[in-house]
């Protein structure tokens, strides 16, 4: 008789997606690996963001994680296996870092706002992921760090997002010492928005996303794009650009409706245009 094939347990998806009303919840699902951002997980996240981009049923996104850690950053074991490549992994490392950077930028370029729900640690590229989100809610037990310097690998790509969220001196201290900061400190320096009791961060992030989802999707899209664009401009250029955006926004149907509703003391009826 032929030998019976061994039953193989189905592998859990590394990224879960569910819809909570108009909120898309993306959950990192590599708890045994502390949700480290493997090559596959980066690709899954980027793919999900691309799908959400033009989905009118999604008005906001929450990025959460299963297990005790939000994300421990890049998967160092995966990176180390490529040391045996002919080029000692140079081409692979470059491709991976560029893929991760593209995924982080996809969060910024997404028309819908993105809220991080953080529990446990968010380190290195995990901290970068939090900093790349538009808003962030964290458990009171969460910690944040860019500890690459401790292993001889400066957190250069996490630095890009981190330095655009927190003041320069605080960013440099995190990058140069590698020491973790508490959720309260992360809130105080502007890395996250709110600190909540442990175990409630996911619900709090969804609740925050739902507040934004009540607004005109057109207005939110226009405003989010303008926010990030003007931040890279000189003061004069930023004002010129913002005036153009305000003018365009004033011509929108939802601005006309919203202003009319305010004057008439009624709830606005958005058409997202």
């Amino acid at each position: 008789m032929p030998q019976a094939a061994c039953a193989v347990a189905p592998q859990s998806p590394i990224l879960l997606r569910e819809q909570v009303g108009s909120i898309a919840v993306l959950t990192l699902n590599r708890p045994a690996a502390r949700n480290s951002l493997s090559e596959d997980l980066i690709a899954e996240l980027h793919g999900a963001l691309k799908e959400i981009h033009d989905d009118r049923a999604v008005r906001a996104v929450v990025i959460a994680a299963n297990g005790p850690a939000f994300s421990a950053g890049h998967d160092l074991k995966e990176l180390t296996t490529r040391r045996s490549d002919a080029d000692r992994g140079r081409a692979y490392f470059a491709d991976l870092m560029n893929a991760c950077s593209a995924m982080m930028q996809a969060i910024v370029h997404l028309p819908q706002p993105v809220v991080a729900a953080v529990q446990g640690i968010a380190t290195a590229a995990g901290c970068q992921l939090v900093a790349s989100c538009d808003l962030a809610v964290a458990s009171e037990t969460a910690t944040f760090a860019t500890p690459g310097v401790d292993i001889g690998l400066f957190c250069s790509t996490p630095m890009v997002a981190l330095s655009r969220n927190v003041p320069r001196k605080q960013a440099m201290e995190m990058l140069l010492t590698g020491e973790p900061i508490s959720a309260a400190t992360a809130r105080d320096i502007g890395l996250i928005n709110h600190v909540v009791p442990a175990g409630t961060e996911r619900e709090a992030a969804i609740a925050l996303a739902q507040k934004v989802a009540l607004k005109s999707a057109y207005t939110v899209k226009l405003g989010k794009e303008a926010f990030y664009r003007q931040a890279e401009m000189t003061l004069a250029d930023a004002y010129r650009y913002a005036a153009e955006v305000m003018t365009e926004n004033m011509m929108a149907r939802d601005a006309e409706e919203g202003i009319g509703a305010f004057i008439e003391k009624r709830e606005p009826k958005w058409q997202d245009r």
Side-chain angles (χ1 to χ4, degrees), residues 19 33 43 52 61 76 129 141 150 167 177-178 199 207 221 232 266:
Q19 195 78 13
I52 288 169
V61 178
L76 297 179
L129 181 57
T141 60
D150 293 336
T177 68
K221 174 185 176 180
E232 305 300 323
R266 61 176 174 81

Side-chain angles (χ1 to χ4, degrees), residues 245-266:
V245 174
M246 284 287 285
T247 302
E248 180 182 349
N249 200 167
M250 277 296 294
M251 301 307 296
R253 183 268 169 199
D254 279 358
E256 185 176 1
E257 163 64 11
I259 293 169
F262 177 80
I263 292 170
E264 296 164 15
K265 295 181 171 52
R266 61 176 174 81

